[in-house]
């Protein structure tokens, strides 16, 4: 089955819109608020009905009025071309199904959707990024249940029913609970029975019970402290095990650095050495040429006048016009080449490239349009990361302002806190309550004759307990202490003064009671004021802690995007390095850069062509120069050939003058030889200085030293990057002096210790609850007959609640058996497909996905290590969830060949995970139509053959196909 058209009459912000779809992958792209989710909900509403007006789901009725509803056109292998139309009507809307043979009806819809309701469809074929993000906040048991529901149909409904029953059962009875109804009734029965059986033993048992409660409280505090310490150690070891590969890499780099001896090298040493070497060779060539010229002149001075030589000179003189034409062409070509070279030098300076090797590399660099587009993509990626970084920074600033606001509120509230005088009055008020209660008891004794001594003592204890409860409600231990002291004093007074009650001044007691009653209203308002102050302090402190947590998460996000920016800048620098450019480059200069490089390459080609022409002219010129040198018996150059020939030809008769001229020339050559010899020595000295600075003796050793120094710099940079990554974690976790096996063993030991502490804590809490209930029972002073009647009523109520609990427990047991059968029969086949998908999504890092004997999902790594689902990273949990969803959809392909609807489910994956995800979705598009909704532009081009619908373009269209 696949959807080939959506016709929206009126739904949310969309009105009179037609969207054509294709088989395979359909990508709905649009920014936030463009209406993507509205289209997704339109499909679900038309197929499964509109929500009731009092339901939690939105109805998406048209904002501008008009007809509510639309059509979904599908092509199904069983039912052919169908049109499902739903419009506003009763309950979930009026639905009509149109078939291609002209028939219509509404009963066939249930068959077309294969009996699925909306919840069942969404549980398998529709999910979003919000569902994946919720995995991070789930416990291990909750994660396993969610993954189990993702791998079997019907489990989610049974799980929901089981949770409802568990909630009802928990509300009725919990083994160690206090608040459930049956627990309360059992406790009440226990209290009533205790009152009936041990009415006269209550006072003797009260004090030991209180002491035991205090002892249990102290033990629980010790366990909590020990448990906290072990949890911190456990967390530190988990971090250490994650960092262990990074620590090993750091150690390896440090060892390599220690093995490298070359930690220093001259700046630009190789370039300088090759420059000096080339100049030295150039000077040596000039010296050789000058020596040859000197020898020629010396020989010329020794030669006699020659007729044959004179005739040759005459011919050369007659050909002077041809010679000058050649020179003119040579100079023109040389000028052209020089101009092109100057223009190249100017362009190289503009690009900041002066080194010959860099220039040659740039001339050979590819400057195609494809390379230019690749550079644009790198710049765009950098800008996106920078935008995310700025957004995170703004979030941090906002949280800082909110933290400052909460701190100001705390300061303002502390300024309004009750005064010490008011607190002291509240503390003394408890004592006064006890004193007035004692006065009333004394008056009652005068009127009724008073009870026996034990009853009076019981009353004094009750008054003291009331004072203690008031102190607890006010969180004021001073009031509790005063209550205990007053109770003890009252006990002593009543015990020793039982025979002197007749002497009590009745009138003074009545006056004290009236004074108490006149102050009672004001004191109650004061107590309320103090309690409200403490509640507001607690609320603001919780808000402050919450903002602190959000601040930490925002700072981590900023660090992550900062790392992404560094990675993008590094990729950009590597690209620019191919163009011999260091530093950054503004995006608007991109086109100019490529234009300049293309012009350089064109000029280089032009220079090569002109040099070839120049070489041919040089051959003719050199041949003429060779003839002239033979005739003149000296070396002739292009510049002096004509003059030399003419001079030799016209002045051969002036041999003496030629001799003088030759001697002067010899002197000039000697000066040149001296100058070039000194320059040759200076270049030799510079080269030796470079060797000395690099601590080498030969050129080969010099080059090897350069390679060693580059290796040292690369390792130093890698070590710095590793240390920067380690600096992001707590130093105590990084400096753990354990290996991998030792840390795993220690983790297991800590887990066992925490388990034993939890067992001990549960026992103490159970005992504490029993003792607490017992102390409450000891405070009761009801009559025996009333307790008998109350006891029978409580037994009857308990029997009724127990019957209801037994019924719910039986139903829950039946549900668990049904879920076990589903897991044993359906889940194995789904897990087999899920394992294949999970392995593909994780790049082979995890081999299988299994359920252990405790019904907890485990991922088995390629090395055989097992990890519970809660131990995996958030992204890996999401990959497991998606793999199970896809595998379940595959297993239901014959019975339920529905499209798969995804709302940006993996936008938070890194580039590798997204690539694996794209390949998986591409592989299943032949089995299921894919409807992918996204607000991220980079997802549009992930699938080469996907059909893209730009949602933002739909607002201006009326019954037009989106492209």
């Amino acid at each position: 089955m696949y959807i080939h058209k959506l016709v929206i009459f009126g739904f949310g912000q969309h009105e009179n819109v037609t969207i054509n779809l294709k088989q395979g992958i359909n990508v709905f792209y649009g920014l936030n608020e463009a209406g993507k989710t509205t289209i997704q909900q339109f499909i679900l509403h038309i197929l499964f009905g509109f929500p009731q007006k009092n339901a939690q789901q939105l109805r998406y009725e048209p904002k501008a009025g008009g007809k509510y509803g639309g059509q979904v056109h599908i092509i199904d292998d069983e039912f052919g071309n169908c049109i499902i139309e739903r419009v506003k009507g009763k309950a979930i809307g009026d639905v009509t199904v149109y078939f291609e043979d002209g028939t219509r009806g509404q009963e066939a819809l249930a068959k077309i959707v294969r009996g699925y309701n909306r919840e069942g469809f969404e549980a398998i074929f529709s999910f979003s990024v919000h569902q994946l993000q919720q995995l991070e906040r789930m416990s291990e048991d909750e994660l396993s249940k969610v993954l189990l529901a993702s791998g079997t149909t019907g489990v989610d409904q049974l799980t929901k029913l089981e949770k409802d029953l568990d909630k009802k059962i928990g509300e009725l009875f919990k083994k160690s609970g206090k608040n459930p109804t049956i627990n309360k009734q059992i406790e009440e029965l226990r209290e009533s029975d205790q009152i009936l059986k041990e009415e006269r033993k209550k006072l003797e048992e009260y004090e030991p019970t209180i002491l035991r409660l205090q002892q249990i409280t102290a033990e629980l505090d010790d366990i909590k402290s020990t448990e906290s310490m072990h949890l911190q150690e456990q967390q530190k070891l988990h971090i250490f095990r994650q960092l262990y590969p990074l620590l090993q890499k750091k150690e390896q780099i440090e060892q390599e650095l220690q093995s490298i001896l070359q930690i220093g090298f001259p700046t630009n040493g190789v370039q300088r050495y090759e420059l000096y070497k080339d100049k030295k060779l150039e000077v040596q060539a000039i010296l050789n040429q000058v020596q040859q010229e000197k020898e020629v002149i010396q020989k010329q001075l020794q030669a006699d006048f020659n007729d044959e030589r004179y005739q040759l000179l005459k011919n050369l003189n007659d050909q002077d016009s041809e010679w000058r034409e050649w020179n003119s062409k040579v100079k023109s070509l040389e000028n052209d080449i020089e101009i092109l070279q100057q223009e190249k030098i100017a362009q190289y300076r503009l690009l900041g490239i002066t080194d010959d090797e860099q220039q040659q590399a740039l001339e050979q660099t590819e400057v195609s349009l494809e390379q230019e587009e690749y550079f644009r993509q790198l710049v765009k990626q950098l800008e996106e990361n920078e935008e995310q970084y700025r957004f995170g920074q703004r979030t941090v600033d906002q949280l800082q302002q909110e933290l400052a606001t909460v701190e100001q509120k705390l300061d303002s509230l502390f300024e309004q806190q009750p005064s010490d005088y008011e607190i002291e009055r509240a503390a003394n008020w408890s004592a006064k309550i006890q004193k007035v209660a004692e006065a009333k008891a004394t008056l009652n004794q005068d009127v009724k004759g008073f009870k026996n001594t034990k009853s009076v003592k019981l009353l004094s204890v009750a008054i003291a307990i009331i004072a203690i409860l008031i102190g607890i409600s006010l969180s004021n231990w001073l009031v509790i202490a005063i209550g205990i002291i007053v109770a003890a004093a009252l006990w002593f007074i009543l015990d020793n003064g039982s025979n002197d009650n007749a002497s009590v001044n009745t009138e003074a007691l009545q006056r004290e009671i009236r004074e108490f009653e006149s102050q009672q209203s004001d004191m109650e308002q004061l107590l309320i004021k103090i309690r409200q102050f403490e509640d507001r302090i607690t609320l603001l402190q919780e808000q402050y802690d919450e903002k602190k947590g959000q601040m930490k998460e925002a700072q981590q996000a900023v660090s992550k995007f900062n790392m992404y920016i560094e990675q993008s800048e590094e990729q950009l620098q590597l690209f620019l390095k191919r163009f011999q450019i260091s530093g950054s480059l503004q995006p608007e200069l991109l086109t100019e850069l490529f234009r300049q490089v293309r012009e350089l390459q064109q000029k280089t080609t032009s220079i090569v062509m002109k040099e070839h022409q120049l070489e041919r002219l040089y051959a003719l010129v050199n041949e003429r120069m060779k003839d002239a040198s033979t005739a003149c018996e000296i070396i002739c150059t292009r510049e002096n050939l004509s003059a030399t020939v003419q001079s030799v030809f016209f002045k051969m008769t002036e041999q003496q003058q030629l001799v003088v001229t030759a001697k002067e020339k010899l002197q000039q050559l000697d000066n040149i030889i001296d100058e070039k010899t000194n320059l040759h020595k200076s270049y030799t000295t510079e080269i030796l200085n470079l060797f000395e600075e690099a601590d080498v003796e030969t050129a080969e050793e010099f080059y090897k030293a350069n390679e060693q120094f580059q290796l040292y710099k690369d390792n130093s940079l890698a070590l710095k990057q590793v240390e920067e990554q380690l600096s992001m974690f707590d130093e105590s976790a990084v400096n753990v002096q354990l290996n991998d096996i030792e840390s795993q063993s220690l983790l297991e030991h800590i887990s066992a210790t925490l388990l034993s502490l939890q067992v001990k804590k549960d026992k103490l809490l159970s005992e504490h609850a029993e003792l607490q209930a017992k102390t409450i029972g000891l405070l009761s002073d009801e009559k025996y007959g009333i307790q008998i009647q109350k006891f029978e009523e409580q037994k009857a109520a308990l029997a009724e609640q127990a019957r209801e609990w037994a019924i719910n427990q039986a139903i829950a047991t039946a549900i668990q058996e049904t879920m076990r059968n589903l897991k044993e029969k359906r889940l194995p086949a789904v897990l087999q497909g899920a394992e294949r998908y999970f392995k593909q999504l994780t790049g082979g890092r995890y081999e299988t996905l299994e359920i252990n004997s405790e019904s907890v999902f485990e991922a088995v790594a390629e090395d055989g290590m097992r990890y519970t689902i809660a131990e995996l990273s958030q992204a890996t949990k999401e990959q497991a969830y998606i793999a199970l969803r896809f595998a379940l959809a595959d297993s239901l392909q014959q019975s339920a060949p529905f499209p798969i609807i995804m709302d940006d489910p993996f936008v938070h994956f890194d580039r590798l995970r997204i690539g694996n995800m794209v390949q998986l979705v591409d592989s299943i598009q032949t089995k299921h139509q894919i409807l992918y909704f996204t607000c991220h532009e980079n997802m549009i081009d992930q699938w080469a053959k996907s059909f893209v619908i730009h949602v933002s373009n739909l607002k201006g269209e009326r019954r037009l196909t989106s492209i």
Side-chain angles (χ1 to χ4, degrees), residues 1-2 4 73-84 97-103 105-115 894-898:
M1 173 195 296
Y2 80 95
H4 72 92
H73 296 236
I74 66 172
I75 297 178
D76 187 271
D77 293 339
E78 182 178 353
F79 298 94
N81 292 343
C82 304
I83 300 175
I84 303 171
V97 180
Y98 300 89
F99 296 94
E100 58 185 347
D101 59 1
T103 60
Q106 60 181 9
E107 294 78 13
L109 179 60
K111 295 181 180 179
I112 293 175
V113 297
R114 274 62 174 184
Q894 298 300 323
S895 60
F898 297 127

Side-chain angles (χ1 to χ4, degrees), residues 15 72 131-132 170 246 353 396 542 571 778 857 918:
E15 181 181 1
V72 174
Q131 292 172 286
L132 300 181
L246 206 58
I353 301 174
V396 171
E542 290 175 354
Q571 292 178 352
L778 291 175
F857 270 84
V918 167

Side-chain angles (χ1 to χ4, degrees), residues 39 47 206 306 471 569 807 826:
I39 296 174
L47 292 179
Y206 179 76
N306 191 329
E569 289 177 344
I807 293 172
R826 174 65 63 82

Side-chain angles (χ1 to χ4, degrees), residues 508-523:
L509 292 175
Q510 291 176 347
R511 184 169 60 254
E512 185 176 356
I513 291 171
R514 287 194 298 273
E515 181 182 354
F516 170 80
E517 291 175 347
S518 65
Q519 299 177 359
Q520 187 173 7
S521 176
D522 294 339
M523 291 306 298

